[in-house]
Amino acid sequence: MTTLSQPSSDLALEAVQELLARPLLDLVYEAAQVHRTHHRPDELQCSELLSIKTGACPEDCAYCSQSSRYTTPVERSPMAEIREVVQRAQEALERGADRFCMGAAWRQVKDGEAFESVLNMVREVKGLGLETCVTLGMLDGEQARRLKEAGLDYYNHNLDTGPSHYDKIVSTRSYDDRLQTLENVREAGISVCCGGILGMGESEFDRAELLHQLAILDPQPESVPINSLVAVEGTPLAQAEPLDWSEMVRVIAAARILMPRAVIRLSAGRKEMTEEGQSLCFLAGANSIFVGDELLTTPNPAPQSDAALLSKLGLKAVRETR
Ligand code: SAM
Ligand code: DTB
Ligand code: SF4
């Protein structure tokens, strides 16, 4: 399968479709082999998330609890205080996280006080000995360079879904806008964290398109979060059909085969999965999770239950898996 794993625009969409159409256990078996060639199968990278500015976002992402267009249970809150963020990062470190990811409900980064404050947060969190990640919406080249200078390790910016399905999910930001931000991040020398969401009414073809787009990024992303939609009351996707566990396993296995060196994160939606379903995802090559009680605005499994699962599986939380 080495031809599938080259970050080349030669990778055919049909090859990805064929991969996704394979019998699940064949796919998992091959993905597990690829995984073991490139990663230590007993190690799991653990990131913790914090929302540093919540809600009142002008974008219309149909899945999001923080868009100002929908009435959701999420309460908006202004930019967090640096002291509070550093305290939360310290707690994350003590809980065993190795990366701290800060998210802001912004359309894009704007120069000014709030951005200066994010730069200080990055400096302080990095100073604690944690890897740093932020997700702030779109950003330009100069803003990316300033984040790098402040000590940023990863920038998260997702493609969310395949290009054909994208217009049904977001109208206020284009697919090309996303690709441009990813390029700005890459050029600044920041590692790219880029993935998508399953369970938004997309077809198998749309999933193939998403994986294809991720795999032809050159270089491929270092980190690939695969989220399962957390259906939030009040959003257009509130009534979306829940994702079957096998779909998550299938996409993770395909992602592992297509992006052998990436760290693949079993991201949002873990709380709705069984331990068995999550375990198959780890076997299929997922080697990262979000830890801590909350994602950005929705719940995540309790740290004690994650610790119990890791112990059952003989998985160790690590500082760096790559
Ligand atoms: N506002 C910034 C942006 O959109 O680029 C950063 C924060 S945004 C919440 C980060 C990512 O989280 C989104 O791109 C999306 O992929 C994911 N996400 C948001 N809400 C979600 C949900 N309800 N279920 C699953 N993933 C979600
Ligand atoms: C990503 O791919 N998943 C995280 C992170 N990047 C920022 C966000 C998940 C958000 C889930 C819904 C919420 O908690 O608001
Ligand atoms: Fe805003 Fe990000 Fe939510 Fe879209 S995903 S509405 S950009 S916070």
Side-chain angles (χ1 to χ4, degrees):
M1 277 293 159
T2 42
T3 49
L4 277 181
S5 67
Q6 302 308 311
S8 140
S9 48
D10 293 344
L11 172 66
L13 176 59
E14 292 73 30
V16 182
Q17 287 179 273
E18 279 165 25
L19 193 63
L20 279 177
R22 281 175 49 183
L24 186 63
L25 295 182
D26 273 0
L27 194 60
V28 170
Y29 183 71
E30 178 169 339
Q33 287 176 314
V34 171
H35 185 52
R36 278 148 201 266
T37 309
H38 296 276
H39 303 266
R40 291 196 49 156
D42 58 341
E43 293 184 344
L44 201 61
Q45 185 272 323
C46 297
S47 293
E48 192 157 324
L49 272 170
L50 178 69
S51 180
I52 56 170
K53 185 267 169 185
T54 310
C57 181
E59 299 290 278
D60 68 354
C61 313
Y63 47 78
C64 190
S65 63
Q66 303 196 67
S67 165
S68 62
R69 320 241 174 163
Y70 321 126
T71 308
T72 73
V74 169
E75 285 187 27
R76 52 183 69 180
S77 58
M79 199 68 192
E81 296 287 336
I82 296 195
R83 261 179 305 119
E84 186 195 330
V85 172
V86 174
Q87 172 72 30
R88 295 290 291 269
Q90 181 66 47
E91 288 164 12
L93 185 65
E94 284 158 16
R95 270 194 289 271
D98 65 272
R99 188 177 310 157
F100 194 65
C101 179
M102 295 164 272
W106 288 339
R107 166 176 166 74
Q108 68 198 102
V109 173
K110 292 198 186 104
D111 295 325
E113 204 184 321
F115 184 45
E116 297 302 320
S117 170
V118 172
L119 293 170
N120 283 331
M121 289 172 189
V122 169
R123 278 185 207 105
E124 297 262 343
V125 171
K126 183 78 179 165
L128 295 176
L130 278 160
E131 285 189 313
T132 52
C133 174
V134 293
T135 179
L136 312 169
M138 297 186 280
L139 85 182
D140 65 28
E142 181 55 23
Q143 292 162 340
R145 278 188 288 282
R146 294 200 65 207
L147 282 164
K148 172 73 183 173
E149 217 176 76
L152 188 71
D153 296 301
Y154 288 81
Y155 194 85
N156 167 246
H157 198 63
N158 290 339
L159 291 177
D160 283 353
T161 190
S164 303
H165 191 57
Y166 184 80
D167 291 354
K168 299 192 190 81
I169 305 298
V170 185
S171 80
T172 47
R173 169 193 296 177
S174 72
Y175 216 76
D176 280 348
D177 288 338
R178 290 183 188 259
L179 293 169
Q180 183 60 56
T181 291
L182 291 169
E183 205 172 304
N184 296 341
V185 169
R186 180 57 82 199
E187 270 178 14
I190 299 167
S191 294
V192 170
C193 174
C194 182
I197 309 176
L198 308 181
M200 302 196 296
E202 72 283 353
S203 64
E204 194 86 336
F205 173 80
D206 299 322
R207 288 179 192 162
E209 273 199 335
L210 169 65
L211 285 171
H212 180 250
Q213 287 291 323
L214 292 170
I216 63 173
L217 289 174
D218 191 5
Q220 292 184 333
E222 282 76 10
S223 168
V224 179
I226 305 291
N227 298 278
S228 155
L229 174 74
V230 180
V232 178
E233 195 192 317
T235 63
L237 290 172
Q239 307 305 328
E241 194 68 26
L243 189 75
D244 192 78
W245 60 270
S246 64
E247 299 302 303
M248 196 69 176
V249 176
R250 184 178 297 282
V251 170
I252 284 179
R256 169 50 71 222
I257 293 168
L258 293 165
M259 295 171 279
R261 285 176 192 80
V263 170
I264 297 187
R265 182 171 311 114
L266 174 57
S267 301
R270 271 198 318 116
K271 200 167 164 52
E272 288 70 39
M273 290 180 79
T274 63
E275 289 196 338
E276 294 89 326
Q278 294 183 61
S279 302
L280 264 174
C281 290
F282 298 137
L283 183 66
N287 55 348
S288 167
I289 54 172
F290 285 120
V291 293
D293 289 303
E294 272 216 311
L295 293 163
L296 287 173
T297 67
T298 64
N300 197 42
Q304 306 88 294
S305 64
D306 276 345
L309 177 58
L310 263 63
S311 158
K312 282 182 207 176
L313 299 176
L315 282 172
K316 297 188 294 269
V318 284
R319 298 239 135 248
E320 180 68 274
T321 61
R322 303 183 67 243

